[in-house]
Amino acid sequence: MRTEVAVVGAGPAGLLLAHLLAADGVDCVVLESRSREYVEGRIRAGILEASTVDVFDRAGLGERLHREGFAHRGIHLHWPHERHHLDFVDLVGRGVWVYGQTELTKDLGAAHDRAGSARWYDVSDTALHDIETDRPYVTFVDDEGAAQRMDADVVVGCDGSFGPSRQAVPRDVQDVWQRDYPYAWLGVLADVAPSTDELIYAWHPDGFALHSMRSAHVSRLYLQVEPGTDIEDWSDERIWDALATRLGDGHDGWQLMPGPITDKSVLPMRSFVAAPMRHGRLFLAGDAAHIVPPTGAKGLNLAVADVAVLAEALRQLLRKHDASLADAYSQTALRRVWRCTHFSWWMTTMLHATGDPFDAQLQLAQLQWVATSTAGMTGLAENYAGLPLALEA
Ligand code: FAS
Ligand code: PHB
């Protein structure tokens, strides 16, 4: 079989790239190792930057997002006895949207259904070949156990942090940076109306907590736990007690309303960047190239930003035989990747308790400045609401 662009991975990056390329008449095939139901059911990100919403609007994918998503002007920063609202729209002229990654992936899947796109789910043994030539190909075993080969002009690795694509880049040309944080997040989904209008990021000596949401009836909350925490150690009651303490239940009359927990998971916190994001005819996008701790709500948005830049680069390469944007892709994408990696590290280290009393004083001093100085608030707002897509040099 032959296509122009073989995309490995049908998460948001892979599906969005294939959708944008197909809109430009570029032939694509998407290969995915899990089932469609599994991919669309994975509970992950929830915050979309304005530039992400713009990409979906321009691609004709924004209708349900605008109907069911929530436009937020900003966030609340909370620490014991203090709560401050940062209004991003006042500060930098743009806010963010609350719309679950699961919904975004379903919208992308529906668009591919309408377009009759070529997607292979439940594949296995995916392997990339001859990526240093102009005739790369991908081999895999399909869901019926038959060995398949897909020849392509370009292969794009959108296969997340554990896929084969990043491994296909030779070690001697690849730089990798990684930082593992000394804490993890316990995330819960609860069938209860959010107790807040906008997200609450809370510092507390016991640990960080975040109150987010998915709809008017579903709350999404996180609390800092030790790495490797066994979810069985956290009963619903213990989770709600810790969230109430850390989020400031009772502060100025504010109350956290508990409810039935429908999903619990522990996710590790790490920063990871692999460069270059292109080797020969292989391009990497999204988590395949970088991972950020979710404190800055950047993971999904970075994947979209990579894809928006890469789709145009591949259109120029394959339709106009102009390789200039493709040759610049890695450098262009990495500028935003490092800006977002820094911001995610900055938010994470400002808000997570380490148990060290000196750290605690530094964090509280930083929070006091960020939440009460226009310069501090603007710096957070500019990064959280998102920078323009293709960062200037
Ligand atoms: P994805 O990981 O979404 O998609 C990669 C796809 O490739 C997967 O479907 C996988 O099955 C497939 N694949 C892997 N190996 C393959 C192979 N060999 N062959 C074929 N297919 C293969 N971000 C936030 O902003 N906020 C959050 O709260 C947040 N929470 C997260 C929680 C968890 C548990 C995880 C893991 C990530 C979270 N993220 C969060 C980040 C997340 O949203 C990612 O940034 C986003 O999914 C990136 O999208 P993709 O790059 O498409 O990668
Ligand atoms: C979420 O709603 O899942 C979410 C929101 C903000 C974050 C991380 C996760 O920083």
Side-chain angles (χ1 to χ4, degrees), residues 44-47 185 199 201 210 212-214 220 222 294-297 384:
R44 286 189 169 170
I47 296 295
W185 276 15
L199 274 59
Y201 285 78
L210 168 62
S212 184
M213 60 208 58
R214 286 291 179 273
R220 176 72 167 158
Y222 299 92
T295 329
Y384 193 103

Side-chain angles (χ1 to χ4, degrees), residues 105-158:
T105 311
K106 287 173 193 165
D107 294 344
L108 282 162
H112 279 283
D113 291 343
R114 290 191 295 272
S117 307
R119 287 161 290 162
W120 299 65
Y121 284 95
D122 292 308
V123 305
S124 56
D125 301 334
T126 317
L128 285 67
H129 309 271
D130 291 356
I131 59 172
E132 293 170 343
T133 73
D134 58 0
R135 303 187 69 75
Y137 64 97
V138 181
T139 54
F140 60 98
V141 174
D142 69 19
D143 60 348
E144 291 173 357
Q148 301 286 358
R149 167 173 166 152
M150 181 65 68
D151 286 87
D153 297 319
V154 166
V155 177
V156 182
C158 297

Side-chain angles (χ1 to χ4, degrees), residues 8-15 31-34 38-39 42-47 101 123-127 158-165 185 210 214 220 222 265-268 285-288 290-303:
V8 182
L15 288 179
L31 307 173
E32 165 60 49
S33 56
R34 308 301 293 253
Y38 181 87
V39 175
R42 270 191 310 229
I43 299 162
R44 286 189 169 170
I47 296 295
Q101 179 173 321
V123 305
S124 56
D125 301 334
T126 317
C158 297
D159 43 349
S161 43
F162 302 106
S165 297
W185 276 15
L210 168 62
R214 286 291 179 273
R220 176 72 167 158
Y222 299 92
S265 60
V266 175
L267 56 116
D287 279 18
H290 41 72
I291 299 289
V292 288
T295 329
K298 288 295 157 222
L300 174 59
N301 292 293
L302 260 182

Side-chain angles (χ1 to χ4, degrees), residues 223-291:
L223 55 94
Q224 174 186 341
V225 293
E226 290 302 312
T229 286
D230 180 351
I231 198 83
E232 297 310 314
D233 293 344
W234 284 82
S235 68
D236 292 9
E237 185 183 3
R238 183 183 177 198
I239 289 170
W240 284 115
D241 286 349
L243 286 167
T245 301
R246 300 179 188 189
L247 289 167
D249 184 65
H251 172 80
D252 272 352
W254 180 79
Q255 268 196 308
L256 175 67
M257 294 307 293
I261 290 176
T262 56
D263 186 273
K264 288 182 201 178
S265 60
V266 175
L267 56 116
M269 306 276 283
R270 68 188 176 114
S271 296
F272 177 90
V273 179
M277 291 172 58
R278 182 259 178 106
H279 180 70
R281 284 298 178 107
L282 169 64
F283 294 78
L284 301 177
D287 279 18
H290 41 72
I291 299 289

Side-chain angles (χ1 to χ4, degrees), residues 170-181:
R171 283 281 167 278
D172 60 350
V173 300
Q174 188 175 62
D175 289 315
V176 168
W177 296 265
Q178 172 148 347
R179 166 130 334 150
D180 295 309
Y181 296 90

Side-chain angles (χ1 to χ4, degrees), residues 9 12 49 58 63 120 127 139 156 174 190-191 214 230 241 265 303 310 313 316 318 336 338 359 369 378:
E49 295 175 0
R58 285 202 302 271
E63 192 268 331
W120 299 65
T139 54
V156 182
Q174 188 175 62
D191 277 350
R214 286 291 179 273
D230 180 351
D241 286 349
S265 60
L310 182 56
Q316 298 277 351
L318 297 170
R336 185 186 187 89
W338 278 112
D359 285 348
W369 175 72
T378 305

